[in-house]
């Protein structure tokens, strides 16, 4: 076939063919090896990524649980807030815009600012834009949040004429009672960028809201609910075989329904809180706590001044939130502080029953012990003043008339550590563990505390001050209320509770909170009897400190207090108002009814002056309202019971 | 055809059925795959445009096939005489690009003739193979070649390489260099000379990296070395391609069912990444089949070379085999992430008239040598 000569020419290549074939095959095998790695070894990984590429998880919003009071009235719920947006590129400045301005009552300078934006964006050419400009053209601007129903109705019926104007509902938290009990119920705030790092793993996203204070914060995980999701295939709406595609690419579960948050029933009674609000009329600042002495449940807690939980939760827009907080934080009356638990005050004379119990327990005095009050007490080189000249007083009169001299004598006999230990027994100086807001501990000063605090020798005068609830002794309003509840019920210190039960959205109780005893104090019942008789006398006896302000139809026992305040004016106070901040705190602590107590009440009027004059009337009004409410509810129950046989 | 075949058979040269079968198999798979690659979900306008691509490819296959038959019919030894002329013509048209060329995505590669755009650098690939074969044919020596001996083939290669690199078209330059180098390696070369060439090559690459290359070309290579670094840019292409291939697993998602392709995650799915489409649709087993066919054609080209009557035929067969081989290795290599993303087509799979015609004409030449051994 071929010539030999030609063959020999090809001979040069001969030895190389084998190597070339080998190289080629090896290189193809490398490709095969890599393919095996991608498709067989890592196949599942890549398939997962490929699915992730085409599948989107659209989240389904959940609804936050409702908070109710003890009578089932809604304290916190959800409502849609209708926000109006506009797309500036589509708005007709001459036709649409004036209508919108009128409807939403937009005012200068906001109106001018918006008009400028519209003109600016409409001036952009329709082609050849940078991506940023393109984005700006398509962007929506928020015109107004939470417009009223009439405006929404108008906007929706005229949607076609009002091009570029859009209404979108957004759920917001709604507090029907506004300021009432705002500190306890709490409010919401938006998840901030820095929280998000921490909260993301718990399923929060940017723009979510969570409970900021109060029950909303403490029970956030119950109230919140669980978001659901729906898987969709990207861009599938363009296809005509949606069902088929989804069945093929979406893994089960394709849809998970959201779980609504748990509802929470509180122990609070909003009627009682409203009653406090009315009774407080005319006073600027303070706090009231009413607890059930038989359970430790908090029936009412109010801190004055308050704030509107709707506004701070964002119901009126982001601007209003910032504005309100600026105002709240600048206010020297500290409206955002929960004065029932987050602040500690000197209890003044309302502490005297506990001093008396301490001295009685150590047998340092008995009801026959007599002290002659000349308007004060000499101790060492100092003279400790009394509120008046009470002459010869025993324990009973000393409490009824709030004689300091008697308690100075008591303080001279008793050790400060005994006072503190009885205080601790009644729950002072320790956090109650209510948990809804940051809690102040208060202070029961001891000898070692003074030694540590003042680097000098301990002086007996400190004990004298502690005995009348002054000096370094501080308590919170809640601690005092629970301690008086313990006096009233014969020595049981309860765990304070605000949550009665947790329910699913259909009303099934998931968790119930029975009363929890914190400590059985086991005081000598005879001692307790003497003290309680005196507390009754404060209201019923002619020279009792609460007698003048008593009301005939209110059966209550208790103790007034007028606590001196340290003369340190808070910052930012108008010098013309300094006199107010130097005024004493007015206290009343008590329980009702006096012989078979059901509730304990503590009223604190910050810088209110004398306790008898300022705090007692408030307590009287609240307890009277409580009695009326109780009667009404009892008769309603009887009616209901009476109706049944028919 | 049947009559012509019998006539050829009688005269001596007979159609090499093995090679023909291999080529037809690749071309068929390529067309079938292109249909899948262009049937993605998109708006009507885009779909219409993609539909045109498939039809155009069929036309080019027909044109290329007819040209291949023509090329195969004439005894290849005649081509040796015209090699100089066609080579010169190729170099001329490559330089013509700079004068008449259409700019597309920052590169000047195409010349518009009527409604067709032609890429002269594609044809240059085959023309260079013919030219190199002619040189090797006339340059038989007993002793190993030195640097001086390699000067002429060196110039023959570097002129078109320089022209395509300037367009700039890194991929074609690479293929031209590698194909010519493979052909030259068939001859005896002194060890020292080889070492010197390798050293010079490294030097040129270093120079090119620092002075000659455009930023986007550098980006392609850096993103290959570290694809995680740039997940949205060029590295993204490579990652999406690997995801598509991995998604194929053993048996594939099924024809026209690959989601990476269907949902538009593969960029240039019909030109640069048809292999990813194929791998996603048909899985590891399909890929094994395709690689086997490519491997068969390359090895078969060497087999043809080893039986060729003369040095020209042998060198020609090696050159065509190398052309197919390097295209396949580079295109698949970049799709599976073992080589950087350089624009190299997959023979008979990638969309492109010039590429299809060049490949088919090249295979026609191989058939020619095979028929006349």
């Amino acid at each position: 076939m071929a010539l030999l000569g030609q063959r020999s020419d090809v001979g040069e290549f001969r030895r190389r063919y084998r190597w070339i074939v080998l190289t080629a095959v090896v290189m193809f095998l490398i490709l095969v090896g890599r393919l095996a790695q991608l498709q067989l070894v890592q196949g599942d990984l890549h398939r997962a990524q490929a699915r992730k590429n085409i599948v989107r998880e659209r989240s389904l919003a959940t609804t936050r649980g409702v908070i109710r009071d003890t009578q089932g009235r809604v304290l916190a719920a959800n409502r849609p807030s209708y926000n109006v947006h506009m797309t500036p590129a589509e708005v007709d400045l001459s036709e649409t815009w004036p209508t919108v301005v009128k409807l939403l009552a937009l005012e200068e300078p906001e109106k001018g600012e918006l008009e400028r934006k519209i003109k600016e964006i409409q001036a952009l050419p329709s082609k050849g834009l940078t991506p940023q400009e393109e984005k700006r053209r398509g962007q929506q601007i928020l015109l107004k949040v939470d417009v009223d129903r009439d405006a929404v109705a108008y906007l929706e019926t005229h949607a076609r004429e009002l091009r570029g104007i859009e209404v979108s509902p957004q759920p917001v938290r709604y507090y029907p009672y506004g300021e009432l009990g705002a500190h306890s119920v709490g409010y919401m705030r938006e998840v901030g960028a820095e929280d998000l790092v921490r909260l993301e793993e718990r399923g929060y996203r940017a723009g979510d809201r969570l409970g900021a204070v109060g029950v909303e914060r403490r029970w956030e995980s119950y109230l919140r609910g669980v978001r659901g999701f729906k898987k969709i295939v990207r861009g599938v709406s363009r296809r005509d075989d949606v069902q088929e595609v989804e069945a093929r690419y979406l893994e089960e579960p394709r849809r998970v329904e959201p779980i609504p948050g748990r509802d929470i029933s509180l122990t609070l009674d909003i009627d009682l809180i409203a009653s406090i609000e009315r009774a407080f009329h005319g006073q600027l600042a303070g706090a009231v706590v009413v607890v059930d002495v038989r359970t430790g449940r908090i029936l009412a807690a109010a801190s004055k001044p308050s704030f509107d939980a709707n506004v701070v939760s964002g119901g009126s827009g982001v601007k209003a939130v910032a504005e309100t907080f600026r105002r709240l934080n600048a206010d020297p009356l500290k409206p955002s502080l929960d004065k029932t638990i987050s602040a500690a005050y000197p209890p003044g004379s309302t502490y005297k029953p506990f001093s008396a119990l301490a001295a009685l327990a150590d047998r340092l005095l008995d009801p026959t012990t007599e002290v002659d009050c000349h308007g004060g007490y000499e101790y060492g080189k100092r003279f400790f003043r009394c509120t008046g000249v009470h002459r010869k007083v025993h324990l009973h009169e000393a409490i009824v008339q709030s004689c300091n001299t008697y308690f100075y004598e008591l303080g001279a006999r008793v050790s400060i550590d005994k006072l503190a230990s009885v205080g601790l027994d009644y729950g002072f100086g320790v956090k109650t563990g209510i948990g809804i807001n940051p809690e102040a501990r208060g202070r029961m000063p001891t000898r070692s505390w003074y030694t540590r605090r003042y680097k000098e020798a301990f002086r007996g005068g400190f004990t004298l001050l502690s005995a009348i609830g002054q000096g370094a002794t501080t308590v919170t309003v809640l601690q005092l209320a629970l301690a008086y509840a313990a006096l009233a019920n014969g020595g049981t210190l309860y765990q304070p509770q605000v949550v009665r039960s947790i329910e699913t959205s259909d009303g099934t109780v998931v968790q119930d909170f029975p009363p929890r005893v914190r400590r059985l104090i086991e005081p000598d019942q005879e001692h307790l009897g003497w003290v309680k008789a005196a507390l009754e006398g404060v209201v019923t006896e002619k020279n009792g400190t609460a007698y003048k302000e008593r009301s005939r139809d209110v059966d209550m026992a208790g103790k007034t207090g007028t606590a001196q305040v340290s003369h340190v004016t808070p910052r930012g106070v108008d010098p013309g108002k300094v006199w107010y901040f130097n005024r004493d705190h007015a206290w009343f602590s008590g329980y009702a009814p006096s012989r078979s107590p059901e509730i304990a009440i503590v009223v604190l009027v910050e810088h209110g002056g004398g306790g008898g004059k300022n705090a007692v009337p408030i307590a009287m009004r609240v307890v009277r309202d409580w009695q009326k409410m109780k009667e009404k509810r009892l008769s309603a129950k009887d009616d209901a019971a009476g109706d049944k046989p028919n | 055809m049947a009559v012509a075949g019998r006539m050829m058979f009688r005269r001596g040269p007979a159609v090499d059925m093995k090679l023909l079968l291999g080529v037809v198999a690749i071309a068929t798979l390529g067309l079938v795959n292109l249909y899948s690659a262009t049937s993605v979900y998109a708006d009507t306008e885009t779909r219409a445009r993609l539909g045109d691509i498939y039809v155009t490819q069929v036309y080019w296959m027909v044109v290329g096939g007819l040209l291949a038959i023509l090329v195969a019919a004439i005894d290849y030894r005649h081509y040796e005489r015209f090699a100089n002329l066609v080579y010169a013509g190729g170099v001329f048209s490559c330089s013509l690009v700079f004068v008449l060329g259409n700019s597309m995505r920052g590169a000047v590669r195409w010349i518009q003739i009527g409604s067709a755009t032609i890429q002269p650098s594609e044809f240059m690939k085959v023309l260079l193979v013919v030219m190199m074969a002619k040189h090797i044919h006339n340059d038989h020596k007993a002793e190993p070649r030195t640097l001086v001996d390699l000067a002429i083939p060196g110039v023959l290669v570097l002129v078109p390489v320089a022209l395509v690199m300037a367009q700039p078209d890194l991929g074609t330059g690479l293929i031209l260099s590698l194909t010519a180098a493979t052909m030259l390696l068939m001859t005896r070369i002194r060890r020292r000379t080889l070492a010197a060439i390798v050293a010079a090559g490294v030097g040129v690459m270093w120079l090119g990296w620092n002075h000659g290359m455009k930023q986007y070309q550098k980006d392609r290579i850096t993103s290959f070395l570290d694809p995680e670094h740039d997940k949205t840019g060029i590295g993204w292409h490579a990652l999406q391609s690997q995801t598509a291939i991995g998604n194929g697993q053993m048996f594939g998602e099924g024809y026209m069912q690959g989601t990476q392709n269907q949902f538009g995650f593969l960029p240039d799915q019909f030109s640069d990444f048809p292999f990813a489409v194929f791998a996603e649709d048909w899985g590891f087993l399909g890929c094994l089949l395709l690689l086997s066919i490519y491997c068969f054609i390359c090895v078969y080209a060497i087999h043809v070379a080893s039986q060729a009557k003369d040095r020209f035929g042998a060198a020609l067969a090696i050159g065509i085999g190398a052309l197919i081989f390097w295209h396949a290795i580079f295109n698949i290599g970049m799709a599976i992430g073992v080589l950087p993303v350089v624009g190299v087509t997959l023979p008979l799979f990638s969309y492109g008239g010039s590429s299809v015609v060049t490949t088919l004409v090249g295979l026609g030449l191989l058939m020619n040598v095979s028929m006349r051994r």
Side-chain angles (χ1 to χ4, degrees), chain B residues 117-170:
Chain B
T117 49
I118 285 173
Q119 202 177 344
S121 57
E122 283 294 328
F123 299 118
M124 195 63 226
K125 290 170 184 169
V126 172
L127 302 183
L128 180 67
V129 167
V130 175
M131 188 65 219
M132 290 302 288
K134 176 192 168 73
H135 173 78
I136 290 168
H137 176 72
N138 296 327
D139 181 44
H140 36 92
K141 271 187 175 180
E143 65 274 20
R145 282 162 185 79
T146 62
L147 216 49
V148 179
D149 297 323
L150 292 177
I152 294 167
V155 170
L156 288 178
V157 181
L158 287 179
V159 168
V161 167
L163 281 172
V164 296
M165 287 290 214
Q167 288 179 358
D169 185 350
L170 208 58

Side-chain angles (χ1 to χ4, degrees), chain A residues 1 6 9 12-14 16-17 20 34 38-39 43-44 47 51 53 233 239 248-249, chain B residues 41 145 185-186 188 240 242 245 247 249 253 257 259-260 265 284 302 306 309 311 336 373:
Chain A
M1 265 168 64
Q6 282 171 315
D9 279 352
E12 190 184 352
F13 304 160
R14 185 111 299 165
R16 288 174 172 74
Y17 288 134
I20 283 203
R34 169 68 175 165
L38 281 175
Q39 300 187 292
D44 290 336
R47 174 148 301 178
R51 289 289 179 273
N53 278 346
V233 176
R239 305 181 65 140
R248 185 177 159 86
Y249 296 119
Chain B
Y41 260 97
R145 282 162 185 79
L185 275 174
M186 295 303 297
R188 229 177 269 124
Q240 292 304 333
Q242 285 165 51
I245 292 165
N247 185 28
Q249 299 192 341
E253 283 265 48
Q257 303 282 357
T259 58
Q260 287 285 99
F265 284 89
F284 181 70
I302 300 166
S306 73
K309 277 191 284 204
R311 285 170 68 93
I336 63 182
R373 45 192 164 165

Side-chain angles (χ1 to χ4, degrees), chain A residues 139-353:
Chain A
Q139 107 192 135
Q140 286 198 323
I141 296 178
L142 182 66
L143 284 182
K144 195 160 188 180
V145 290
D146 203 13
V147 294
D148 58 63
R149 278 169 193 284
D150 295 344
V152 171
Y154 183 88
L155 286 170
E156 287 192 339
T157 48
H158 295 76
R160 210 171 298 165
E161 296 114 88
L162 299 172
R163 248 171 64 85
I165 305 291
E166 244 174 70
V167 185
S168 63
Q170 210 192 358
V172 292
R173 201 65 164 157
Y174 172 53
Y175 303 93
Y177 293 93
E179 292 200 356
L180 293 187
H183 295 88
S184 313
V185 175
Y187 55 85
M188 309 288 290
R189 69 177 169 83
E190 199 165 315
V191 174
E194 62 271 23
D195 307 315
L196 206 56
V197 182
R198 188 167 45 85
L199 293 171
E200 212 158 26
E201 63 187 57
R202 289 202 266 143
Y204 286 92
R205 314 229 180 106
D208 278 3
R209 291 177 172 279
L210 52 79
V213 301
V215 170
E216 293 272 35
R217 173 166 169 274
R218 172 65 180 79
W219 300 90
E220 167 71 16
S221 56
Y222 288 79
L223 288 165
R224 192 179 151 226
V226 182
R227 223 192 281 269
F229 64 82
K230 187 174 96 180
K231 287 182 190 162
I232 51 161
V233 176
R234 226 176 69 123
V236 81
S237 54
R238 284 199 301 259
R239 305 181 65 140
D240 36 21
D241 52 348
V242 177
Q243 299 286 324
E244 201 183 303
V245 168
E246 290 196 332
R248 185 177 159 86
Y249 296 119
L250 297 181
E251 270 170 45
E252 294 295 336
R254 277 154 64 174
R255 186 189 172 100
V256 168
E257 293 300 330
I259 304 168
R262 302 280 190 234
D263 290 356
I264 289 185
S265 285
L266 301 184
T267 60
L268 299 177
D269 188 326
I270 200 70
D271 284 345
L272 204 55
I273 295 175
S275 149
I276 293 169
E277 178 73 22
R278 284 193 302 274
F280 230 89
H281 184 75
Q283 302 288 6
L284 288 175
V288 177
V289 168
V290 180
V291 299
D292 188 325
V293 303
R294 298 157 302 184
T295 56
R297 286 178 181 142
I298 298 174
L299 303 180
S303 178
K304 293 284 292 181
S306 191
F307 51 84
D308 189 342
N310 290 303
V311 177
V312 292
S313 293
S316 317
V318 184
K319 269 189 213 155
V321 175
E323 177 63 34
T324 310
F325 272 113
R326 204 174 309 123
R327 195 165 45 71
L328 292 181
N329 292 336
D331 192 334
L333 298 178
K334 296 184 181 159
S336 47
L337 185 71
D338 184 355
K339 288 166 185 165
T340 59
I341 50 179
S342 301
Y345 301 86
S349 302
T350 55
Y351 194 73
K352 280 176 182 165

Side-chain angles (χ1 to χ4, degrees), chain B residues 211-230:
Chain B
H211 300 288
M213 274 166 83
K214 297 262 161 63
Q215 190 55 46
Y216 83 93
Q217 294 170 322
K218 287 189 192 179
D219 286 346
R220 283 182 171 185
I221 289 164
T222 48
S223 73
F224 161 69
L225 296 174
D226 184 13
E228 299 290 323
H229 176 72
D230 178 22

